[in-house]
Structure formats: C-alpha cells, structure tokens
Amino acid sequence: MSEPLKSRKRLSSLIYSEKARGVFAQILVTGGIAFIAWYLISNTFENLANQGIATGYSFLSLESSFGISEHMIEFTPADSYGRALMVGFLNTMKVSFLGIIFATLIGFVVGVSRMSKNWILSRIAAVYINLFRNIPVLLQLIFWYTLINNALPSPKRALEVLPDVFFSNRGVLFPVPADHPAYFWMGVVFVIALVGVWLLRRWALAHRDRTGQTFPYAWAGLALVVVSVFITYLVCGAPTEMSTPVLKGFNFKGGAKLSPEFLSLLIGLTLYTSTYIADIVRSGLLSVPKGQEEASTDLGLKPSQTLMHVVLPQASRVMIPPLTSQYLNLTKNSSLAVAVGYPDLVSLSNTTMNQTGQAIEAISIFMAVYLGISLVISLFMNWYNKKMALVER
Amino acid sequence: MKSLKLIVGGTIAATAALSTFAMAGETVDSIKAKGYVQCGANTALAGFSAPTSEGKWEGLDIDLCHAVAAAILGDASKARFTPLTAAQRFTALQSKEVDLLARNTTWTLSRDTKVGLNFAGVNYYDGQGFMVAKASGITSATELDGATVCIEPGTTTELNLADYFRAQGMSFEPVVIENAVEAVQTFFSGRCDVYTTDASGLASYRQTAPNPDDFIVLPEIISKEPLGPAVRHGDEEFADIVRWTHIAMLEAEEKGITSANVDTFKKDSKDPGIQRLLGTTGDMGKALGVSDDWAYNVIKQVGNYGESFDRNVKAKLGLERGLNALWTNGGLMYPAPIR
C-alpha cells in the first residue's frame, strides 16, 4: 500500500516543485521556438520552390561577370561570386580598421581638448562634437562624396599639391615604391622586431620589479624596429625605384590611389564616430577622482606619468565597454557604403543577390560575416577589458 | 502557471497568424480583395516611370499598371506605386511587397528561371548605350579603354558592360551607385568618363543634366534589352491578365481604336475581331477571369499602346517608335490573336 502512495506523492510534488515547473516551462519555450523556426524555414523553402527560385550556395562558384573597382586581391569579371564577396569582405575590413584607428585618435584628441582649461580649445571641441554627432551619418557620407566629386578638378586638370601627388575627382594619387622583394623581407623583419620589443618590455618590467630601476624600453624598442628594418632594406639592395601616377588616356596609371568613394566613407565614418569616442574619453577622465591625480603629483610623478600610469588605467575601465560598442557601430555603419558606391561586403552581396536572385543565401552570408566581425571585436575588447580591470582584493 | 498559459497561447496564436500569411491567395484574388494593384515602379525615369511635381506617377510602364487595374477592377485609377531601385526590385516582387513589376526590366533566361520571375511580354525593345561628355572628344565606344564608368548595380547593364569590355580587350573601372539618380548625378559631376544604361534611359537621364547639350550618346548599341512587365513565377492566372492587357493595347492600336473613339467601335463595329476585343461577343474576359469589357476599360481609360507611347516616350524624351512600332509599320510589336 505504501509504494503507490509514495509515487503519487512524488508526482504531485513535481507539480508543486518550483524547480520542476521551471524546467517544464523551459522545455515548452524551447520547443515553441524550435517549432516556429522550423515552420518559418520550411515555409520559406516551400514558397521559394513554388516560385521556382533557385536555392543553395552553389552559385558562389559561378562566374560573376561584373567588375569591381577596388580590390585588395586580384579580381576580374571572370572570377566567381565567392571571390567577389571575399573582395567585399576585405574592403569592409579595410575601411573599418582604418576608421577605428582614426576615430580613436581624433576622439582622444577632441575628448581631451573638450576638458582643456583653454576656453577656445574646449569650445572648438564642443562645436565639433555637436556638429558631427547630430547630422545623420548617411547624409555626411553623401555630403563628403558630393564635395569631393564637385570641388576637385578632372584628371586632366588635377591639382599637383606635392611633386607627383595629385588631387582630382578620381581621388588622391601618390607615388609608392615600385614592387621589389626587399619590401616583403622588411615586413617579415618588422614582425620579428615587434616580438623582440615585446620580450624586451617583459624583461624591463621584471627588471624594474626586481631592482626598482626603470629601463626606457619604449625608446629602445623603437630603435630596435627602425634599425633592423633599415638594415634589411640596405641588405636587400636598397631599391629606389618608385611607381608614380602618370596621366595616360582617361586616367592616371601607376602609383597608389585613394578613391573618392573610399575617402568619403572613411572621412564620414571617422568624424561621426570620433564625436562619440570624444564623449566617452571625457566621461572616462571625469570618472577618475581628482584626488588620484593630486596624490600622484604629490608623489612626484610627472604629468605624463600621472596620465599614463594613474589616470588612464582607471579611466579605461569606464571607457572600454562603450568604446567596444562604438567600434561595432563603425563597422556596421560601413555598410552605408552602398550610398557612395564603395564596393563593401553589403554592396557586393546586393549585386550578387540581384544577379543570381538568391537573396536569402546572400543575406545569410553577410549576416554571418557581420556577426563574426562583431564577436571578434567584442571578444578582443572583453579580453582587453579584463586585462585592464582593477584587480580588487 | 500563468506564464505557461501565455507561452502556449502565444505559440498557437503566432502559428495561426503565420499560416494565414503563408496561405494568402493568388495575386488576382488579393488584388480584388484589397481593391487596387500594387506596382513596383522605377524611382525616377522620365517617359517610363516618374512622379510629377504633384506626386502623380506618369510613364509608359505606369500606364501598363493602370491598364492592369482597369482590366481586373474596371478602374484604371486603382493602381498604387512602390518606387524600387534596380537592386530592390526582385526581392520586392518575390516577397509579395508588389504584385507586378512595371519597371523596365530586361527579360533574360536566368531571371525567368533562377530568379523566379515570369515575363508577361515586352513593352519596350531597347539596347544598351553609352553617354559621355562632349568635351571628352570621344565619338565611339571603341575609344573607351581605361574609362571610369558609372552604373547602377543589379542590372543587365552591369553584366553587358563587363562582357563588352572583355570582348574588346579593353579595361574599365566601375563606379557602382545603387540609386540611379545619384549614379547619374555622380557622372554629371565628372567622377566618371561614361554613363551606361539602356538607350531610352540615357535619353531620359540626359535631360536631367545641368546642361544636356554638354553630353552626347555614342552610336554603339552593345546589347538587346527587351524590357517588360514581370510577375511572380507560379501565378499563371495573373501573368495571363498582364500579358493580354499589353496585347489588347497593341491590338487596339492596330485596329485604330483609341480612347476617344472606342465607344463608337463598341456600338457600331461589325468586325468580329473588334467585337471579341471589346467584349460585345465571345467570352474572352471570362477566360481570363475578369469581366468581358476588360479590354474596353483598358482602352477607354488608358488608351492604346501608341497613345501611351506618344504621350510618354515621344512627348517627354523625343524618341521615335523605331523597333517599338507595330509590325505593320516595320516594328517588332506584334499582338497575338485575341480569340
């Protein structure tokens, strides 16, 4: 008699148990979501099949037959859609990477200027922030693009601002060293030297902890890099040949070029994002109690040491999370490239989905790529954040 | 327990909502139910599809959409327009945002198959050309090696351009801007040496230049561009109506029936072909699933093809009929028999 009673009791206790109900609800929710997802996906494929729209990713290997103006890897219309998307991805990375660097530099300068005791400097920074922050970024891109195209002359009447540096509505052209194996080896040596600097820094810090003596590792490291790269250059035959832009037919040939599309996108994204970064820098600096600065000054640290070793490390705890989100924003905003004709990932995905009709596949690719980029940026910033975080005891 | 009920109820409600969405009826039924035809139009292409300063849409493609509304609903004014760029158009049609693409779209094999479109005919025979600044001194497309070319993405133009330059052994640098108006302005500002699109489009865009006489269209036509209305694959009933609406407009022109004299023809004509067209005899409308006076409504309210061509393409762009003349005048417009 006691056995069934016990099991019934156990069963009823399940209904009243908070934990069991929680598990049950979660199973239901997960099941519901899975069902909706399955329903949507199967419906989509059924509808696509009914409309006779091709599905699958095999189109990636087909010949693209369209041209792309800017490519960091070789590209001709005979190359595949997959390669075209790769070109777009690299272009997105190029403009985002440079945009993040410039926006951070400008943001720091403007943010610190905003805090300056110099009234004029602080006002200029405030005007800059309010101006570029409050105009929608898309308008800014179109503004810069129109300005570059209309203000600069045609290639035949290009402005030669420096010898062999031309400004025209085809972009900014400048000479670069002509191809030579020396540059490859200089790059290799540069990377090796960077590792050397890192080891040097580790040794210097350990040495300081042991003996209390500081070693100027930053200067020594810089010297190491410059000297080793320069020696490589000499050893490889010191090439001096340059590739200079020369007007030939319609356009300049040779040299390197920054196109109006790239420039307007980079300028627009950089200025817009830098205003947010400036405010983040300002709030970060404000968050450090004044006593910290006073105390370190009283200890006899120089203002630069105070900034580098006392104020910035504490401010960065406040700054890193919002900075991460600005870096992500800049990268995502780079997809506005379509408006000014810069061939980024979205622009080339659009073209691809239009020529092949495979919208879902093309969108799934660029969504996955943007998600990937976002995850990498936030992982890196989280790691950095953890490294910088104050270790509390 | 309350949250549980909510979740279960929500799931059921969402599923129900999704099912109704997925089972939405055929295009014609939905047009009759909502009371208007939703057309995808070009954003701004004078002569074919462009809004006037009062915001009214006008053009050859716009007329076709009005004609479809007249055929199905008996009222040409029951047409609404969604301006679409070249890159947006197919997705808009596939996702049922629009019923019909009346937007100078080139009929190609891959669009007819892989992209899931059905072309309901050709309402303008065109070919791709080039426009350059007069000051450049260029007189032929063969002189374009190394040129920078402004284009709209997602078009056959983009592909033909690459094909043509490859075939000629020339190189080019594309500047691809999604909005056609922006793209053509970029060309006018001097960013590109060449603007390329269909010849009719060049004529249309040239008029928007600050000074149209500064630009010329080169003589070479590098492709065939049969432009026509497109519908979703898998809805034959609607495709038939669009196809035969276009044919009815051609047939009316061939028979000399215009919006002004259609009533006289309807009353007096002894020609059995005209009687069938105007619905006084036969059941052509019923066969299409519309009323028997469908073609009468189209002709009365919109006009025949020639009328539409003259008031849009000829009046606005100054283009002659050319290939788009009736077959009886040496053109390619050949209406299939309505019987």
Side-chain angles (χ1 to χ4, degrees):
Chain A
M1 272 307 275
S2 69
E3 272 305 304
L5 196 78
K6 218 174 170 186
S7 75
R8 205 184 306 153
K9 210 170 175 184
R10 216 184 287 144
L11 208 73
S12 64
S13 78
L14 268 183
I15 296 173
Y16 295 107
S17 141
E18 191 80 18
K19 202 177 162 196
R21 285 207 318 248
V23 170
F24 184 62
Q26 284 189 30
I27 291 173
L28 265 186
V29 172
T30 316
I33 291 172
F35 175 74
I36 292 174
W38 166 82
Y39 191 84
L40 283 175
I41 292 170
S42 65
N43 239 319
T44 306
F45 278 99
E46 200 184 307
N47 286 340
L48 289 178
N50 284 344
Q51 289 179 36
I53 299 170
T55 49
Y57 290 90
S58 56
F59 70 94
L60 287 173
S61 58
L62 296 178
E63 184 182 292
S64 62
S65 3
F66 59 83
I68 304 176
S69 53
E70 288 175 50
H71 35 87
M72 292 166 75
I73 49 174
E74 273 306 305
F75 185 84
T76 71
D79 285 316
S80 68
Y81 284 115
R83 197 172 174 88
L85 293 181
M86 193 57 179
V87 169
F89 170 71
L90 291 174
N91 282 342
T92 292
M93 293 310 285
K94 180 167 90 173
V95 78
S96 305
F97 180 74
L98 291 174
I100 286 174
I101 289 179
F102 289 131
T104 308
L105 290 176
I106 297 176
F108 265 80
V109 171
V110 174
V112 172
S113 307
R114 182 79 181 86
M115 301 267 295
S116 164
K117 291 188 183 74
N118 183 330
W119 187 83
I120 295 177
L121 193 62
S122 142
R123 281 291 92 193
I124 291 175
V127 169
Y128 173 89
I129 291 172
N130 282 310
L131 183 68
F132 288 112
R133 168 177 203 147
N134 291 317
I135 301 172
V137 65
L138 180 63
L139 282 185
Q140 294 193 39
L141 297 185
I142 293 176
F143 169 78
W144 292 113
Y145 191 52
T146 316
L147 186 76
I148 292 173
N149 280 337
N150 288 289
L152 293 176
S154 66
K156 284 190 178 117
R157 278 171 291 166
L159 303 170
E160 192 168 359
V161 283
L162 290 167
D164 289 330
V165 177
F166 297 95
F167 279 63
S168 77
N169 59 16
R170 300 301 151 85
V172 175
L173 289 116
F174 52 92
V176 284
D179 266 349
H180 191 282
Y183 301 113
F184 171 75
W185 292 113
M186 283 162 76
V188 172
V189 169
F190 178 74
V191 173
I192 295 172
L194 282 187
V195 176
V197 172
W198 180 72
L199 291 173
L200 185 69
R201 175 172 178 271
R202 264 181 55 151
W203 170 81
L205 294 182
H207 181 71
R208 185 190 66 191
D209 290 350
R210 230 177 20 247
T211 64
Q213 289 174 331
T214 55
F215 177 78
Y217 63 85
W219 292 109
L222 187 69
L224 173 71
V225 171
V226 171
V227 170
S228 62
V229 170
F230 186 68
I231 288 174
T232 319
Y233 173 73
L234 292 180
V235 167
C236 289
T240 52
E241 201 196 327
M242 298 291 276
S243 162
T244 46
V246 181
L247 188 63
K248 235 167 110 187
F250 286 107
N251 254 321
F252 284 97
K253 299 265 158 66
K257 184 174 89 164
L258 299 172
S259 73
E261 291 77 28
F262 174 76
L263 283 174
S264 51
L265 185 64
L266 183 64
I267 294 172
L269 289 178
T270 300
L271 295 187
Y272 181 74
T273 313
S274 70
T275 62
Y276 287 87
I277 293 180
D279 274 350
I280 291 168
V281 169
R282 184 162 73 117
S283 71
L285 295 180
L286 282 174
S287 75
V288 180
K290 214 174 164 52
Q292 294 283 328
E293 198 183 327
E294 289 167 355
S296 69
T297 312
D298 288 349
L299 281 174
L301 294 181
K302 284 181 279 181
S304 64
Q305 286 174 322
T306 302
L307 188 69
M308 289 305 292
H309 299 297
V310 178
V311 178
L312 272 186
Q314 295 187 67
S316 64
R317 282 183 304 140
V318 179
M319 280 155 46
I320 289 172
L323 265 186
T324 310
S325 112
Q326 287 312 317
Y327 291 169
L328 293 176
N329 274 345
L330 187 142
T331 310
K332 285 182 281 187
N333 281 342
S334 73
S335 60
L336 294 169
V338 211
V340 291
Y342 177 71
D344 78 324
L345 179 64
V346 174
S347 162
L348 293 176
S349 299
N350 274 342
T351 303
T352 300
M353 79 172 81
N354 229 269
Q355 302 295 6
T356 60
Q358 289 176 288
I360 293 177
E361 288 83 354
I363 290 174
S364 73
I365 291 174
F366 80 63
M367 272 173 62
V369 171
Y370 275 99
L371 194 66
I373 298 174
S374 296
L375 284 176
V376 168
I377 293 179
S378 39
L379 279 178
F380 173 76
M381 294 302 276
N382 279 341
W383 166 81
Y384 189 65
N385 193 22
K386 220 172 251 165
K387 203 167 117 77
M388 294 301 284
L390 202 61
V391 184
E392 292 191 46
R393 283 167 225 211
Chain B
M1 282 312 266
K2 211 174 186 179
S3 60
L4 208 81
K5 265 186 205 159
L6 220 88
I7 291 160
V8 175
T11 314
I12 293 169
T15 317
L18 287 168
S19 330
T20 24
F21 174 73
M23 279 162 34
E26 294 289 287
T27 315
V28 184
D29 292 342
S30 87
I31 289 172
K32 283 177 178 162
K34 66 190 174 192
Y36 59 87
V37 181
Q38 188 77 44
C39 286
N42 202 319
T43 49
L45 185 66
F48 291 87
S49 163
T52 62
S53 50
E54 291 90 45
K56 199 170 153 286
W57 288 86
E58 279 183 3
L60 188 77
D61 288 330
I62 298 298
D63 276 359
L64 183 76
C65 186
H66 282 301
V68 171
I72 296 176
L73 301 167
D75 185 349
S77 68
K78 300 252 169 83
R80 296 190 189 176
F81 300 95
T82 307
L84 298 171
T85 66
Q88 295 164 340
R89 58 188 164 178
F90 301 137
T91 320
L93 184 66
Q94 287 165 354
S95 62
K96 304 195 177 170
E97 207 180 303
V98 297
D99 301 314
L100 168 68
L101 216 52
R103 194 204 166 286
N104 56 327
T105 302
T106 305
W107 185 1
T108 69
L109 188 144
S110 58
R111 286 174 178 177
D112 213 337
T113 53
K114 285 191 292 183
V115 185
L117 304 184
N118 269 359
F119 284 85
V122 176
N123 73 336
Y124 195 92
Y125 289 96
D126 211 340
Q128 183 175 340
F130 297 101
M131 175 162 58
V132 296
K134 221 178 231 171
S136 68
I138 297 161
T139 53
S140 160
T142 52
E143 300 163 32
L144 293 177
D145 191 16
T148 307
V149 186
C150 280
I151 34 170
E152 231 185 316
T155 54
T156 48
T157 307
E158 196 181 15
L159 306 177
N160 296 332
L161 174 72
D163 283 358
Y164 178 76
F165 276 75
R166 268 164 89 183
Q168 300 277 321
M170 305 192 297
S171 70
F172 72 103
E173 187 189 309
V175 175
V176 178
I177 298 176
E178 181 172 341
N179 186 313
V181 177
E182 296 280 341
V184 82
Q185 286 307 320
T186 304
F187 164 69
F188 291 140
S189 76
R191 169 70 182 96
C192 300
D193 305 303
V194 188
Y195 188 80
T196 180
T197 188
D198 299 339
S200 61
L202 293 179
S204 181
Y205 289 133
R206 185 166 167 264
Q207 293 186 337
T208 65
N211 187 1
D213 289 335
D214 289 348
F215 299 93
I216 56 163
V217 174
L218 299 179
E220 284 87 354
I221 296 291
I222 63 163
S223 70
K224 288 180 290 184
E225 307 289 334
L227 308 178
V231 298
R232 274 184 296 279
H233 189 92
D235 189 346
E236 300 310 325
E237 192 188 1
F238 185 54
D240 285 343
I241 293 174
V242 178
R243 177 176 303 118
W244 288 96
T245 299
H246 170 59
I247 292 175
M249 290 173 77
L250 291 175
E251 180 76 12
E253 188 187 6
E254 192 181 321
K255 300 278 191 204
I257 309 171
T258 66
S259 53
N261 65 21
V262 64
D263 285 313
T264 335
F265 273 98
K266 192 176 169 113
K267 206 157 70 219
D268 303 333
S269 180
K270 299 283 176 284
D271 180 338
I274 293 176
Q275 286 176 343
R276 271 198 304 278
L277 174 69
L278 298 179
T280 43
T281 62
D283 60 349
M284 296 298 138
K286 202 163 146 228
L288 282 173
V290 294
S291 69
D292 277 331
D293 58 357
W294 63 285
Y296 167 80
N297 290 332
V298 169
I299 301 161
K300 175 76 182 169
Q301 296 176 31
V302 181
N304 67 35
Y305 180 79
E307 285 178 88
S308 177
F309 192 99
D310 288 348
R311 84 173 158 251
N312 294 305
V313 182
K314 194 168 176 187
K316 303 237 169 66
L317 306 176
L319 292 175
E320 293 304 322
R321 289 292 285 269
L323 290 177
N324 295 294
L326 285 178
W327 64 292
T328 46
N329 295 329
L332 295 174
M333 288 297 177
Y334 185 101
I338 295 181
R339 66 180 316 131

